[in-house]
Amino acid sequence: MLKACIAADQLQLLSQCRFVSPPKAFNPTRRGLASVSCCSSSSSSVSRPLSSSRAPDLSVSESIAGTSAAANGSAVVSFADRLRLGSLTEDGLSYKEKFIVRSYEVGINKTATVETIANLLQEVGCNHAQSVGFSTDGFATTLTMRKLHLIWVTARMHIEVYKYPAWGDVVEIETWCQGEGRIGTRRDWILRDFATGAVIGRATRLAFPEEDNSSLKKIPKLEDPPQYCRQGLVPRRADLDMNQHVNNVTYIGWVLESIPQEIIDTHELQKITLDYRQECQHDDVVDSLASIELGGGVEAVSELHGANGSATVTQGTQDCCQFLHFLRLSSNGLEINRGRTEWRRKPAR
């Protein structure tokens, strides 16, 4: 039923759009990647993605299709559309938008946090969908998806930040979709410093196509016992999105809660990859676990702290370090997601 209905949407829209060819290999001047899958919002149990981490992509055929409505002048231009610093590119295949980094979006170093960047990526993706004619109801769901009570859910997210923008900087983010499979979409982003045009980051919700890229690496399950643990994390009301699910950016914050303070003091996040296995509900309690990944550029030594032995990071001359992460429900240990983070030493300022 789902396949047939989706196919009907696609046939109607294919006459109005064309697909974007995936990039053959990464070039900092090229565009970047992303993927979500759809799941039922009417289920009373916790939703699971309907596809694997290599989730396919519905949104290409459906998202680009709305360009014809705009071209025919049938789309209503709102005040928000007039004020928004974003628009489709000339070829109509991608969307660009500029943002000023606000004071409440930066951390102690006066640079944007990774959560800020993830929220901007989500905003640009939603604005892109709206600009080509998608509804604002339920993060750009199609008419058929709404009839079947389906929503988009993130299956895998990968973000790389080469340079964090500072308070007052202007960031230009470009995004586009690529079709892949029957029930998913792949969305990519690339971030630039608008003043210089330099590429400062990229992101995807699927794997980058080039070989040996870190986003392609399988994330193993964290072995017990973890070296670091933060327990008792609870979703706030503000963490729920318009679909009444915990927003995927919230999981990023939870993952980072288990990073040891000595790493936070001396390093900054360079890459983060998350595999979303299961959603948590508003009344769930979450544990965030982390351990140093062997071979990740950090040496771990065992030291005693009070009555408990735990591994600590030997900093010394280490410029990079890598961690494995695991989020689970406190009540039953059920896996929510697993991740990998890579950290580099903070630049001198």
Side-chain angles (χ1 to χ4, degrees):
M1 181 66 176
L2 177 62
K3 178 180 177 181
C5 291
I6 290 176
D9 270 356
Q10 290 178 328
L11 289 174
Q12 178 182 1
L13 298 171
L14 280 173
S15 63
Q16 303 172 340
C17 68
R18 55 195 177 107
F19 287 91
V20 184
S21 299
K24 301 301 181 184
F26 172 65
N27 183 321
T29 62
R30 292 177 66 90
R31 305 166 182 169
L33 262 189
S35 131
V36 293
S37 57
C38 36
C39 72
S40 173
S41 61
S42 61
S43 173
S44 59
S45 61
V46 179
S47 300
R48 293 181 63 88
L50 295 184
S51 56
S52 66
S53 60
R54 295 189 60 81
D57 180 338
L58 254 198
S59 112
V60 174
S61 60
E62 294 186 325
S63 71
I64 301 176
T67 54
S68 63
N72 295 331
S74 59
V76 177
V77 179
S78 67
F79 287 113
D81 293 328
R82 297 171 186 174
L83 296 174
R84 187 175 288 127
L85 299 178
S87 62
L88 290 168
T89 55
E90 291 184 3
D91 59 12
L93 298 179
S94 65
Y95 176 89
K96 291 182 179 181
E97 187 165 355
K98 295 179 284 292
F99 298 91
I100 301 172
V101 178
R102 310 292 185 177
S103 61
Y104 52 83
E105 296 174 323
V106 302
I108 58 176
N109 294 323
K110 297 183 180 179
T111 57
T113 64
V114 68
E115 291 98 326
T116 291
I117 290 174
N119 276 317
L120 292 179
L121 298 178
Q122 183 170 267
E123 177 69 10
V124 173
C126 290
N127 291 344
H128 178 207
Q130 290 186 41
S131 71
V132 295
F134 271 74
S135 168
T136 59
D137 181 18
F139 284 133
T141 53
T142 67
L143 179 60
T144 299
M145 289 175 66
R146 290 194 295 278
K147 287 180 178 179
L148 296 176
H149 304 288
L150 298 175
I151 60 170
W152 295 111
V153 296
T154 301
R156 184 178 177 95
M157 185 71 180
H158 179 86
I159 300 174
E160 298 183 5
V161 183
Y162 311 131
K163 180 183 178 181
Y164 282 89
W167 178 22
D169 286 352
V170 178
V171 179
E172 182 180 67
I173 303 177
E174 182 175 6
T175 186
W176 65 98
C177 294
Q178 300 187 62
E180 183 168 306
R182 297 174 301 168
I183 56 170
T185 183
R186 188 171 70 186
R187 178 174 289 279
D188 307 328
W189 296 266
I190 195 162
L191 296 84
R192 295 182 177 88
D193 183 326
F194 184 67
T196 65
V199 174
I200 60 174
R202 60 174 177 163
T204 177
R205 287 186 183 149
L206 197 58
F208 295 124
E210 65 269 22
E211 295 181 0
D212 301 324
N213 190 281
S214 60
S215 69
L216 286 171
K217 293 170 61 178
K218 181 179 179 180
I219 302 175
K221 184 175 180 179
L222 196 63
E223 297 294 334
D224 283 330
Q227 293 172 324
Y228 307 98
C229 180
R230 177 67 184 274
Q231 297 177 308
L233 301 170
V234 179
R236 304 170 302 164
R237 292 190 182 97
D239 293 329
L240 302 181
D241 61 26
M242 66 181 73
N243 291 323
Q244 300 185 43
H245 291 165
V246 175
N247 192 284
N248 67 86
V249 179
T250 300
Y251 297 97
I252 296 177
W254 286 343
V255 162
L256 300 183
E257 282 294 317
S258 56
I259 291 292
Q261 188 60 44
E262 56 263 36
I263 292 296
I264 299 296
D265 292 340
T266 58
H267 291 67
E268 64 182 11
L269 183 65
Q270 179 174 331
K271 300 178 184 179
I272 181 169
T273 306
L274 290 181
D275 280 341
Y276 292 85
R277 303 303 179 93
Q278 185 147 332
E279 289 189 300
C280 67
Q281 305 300 313
H282 64 87
D283 55 352
D284 286 331
V285 180
V286 177
D287 295 335
S288 176
L289 315 177
S291 289
I292 297 167
E293 185 172 19
L294 296 179
V298 175
E299 179 185 359
V301 295
S302 180
E303 295 181 357
L304 292 177
H305 297 277
N308 298 319
S310 62
T312 60
V313 176
T314 300
Q315 295 182 26
T317 60
Q318 298 293 342
D319 291 328
C320 299
C321 53
Q322 193 165 294
F323 289 83
L324 292 177
H325 300 269
F326 188 77
L327 291 183
R328 68 185 183 191
L329 295 178
S330 298
S331 58
N332 55 18
L334 189 64
E335 179 179 9
I336 299 172
N337 67 28
R338 62 181 68 178
R340 173 183 286 113
T341 58
E342 298 180 33
W343 301 73
R344 59 173 175 253
R345 189 169 290 276
K346 289 181 180 178
R349 299 188 184 278

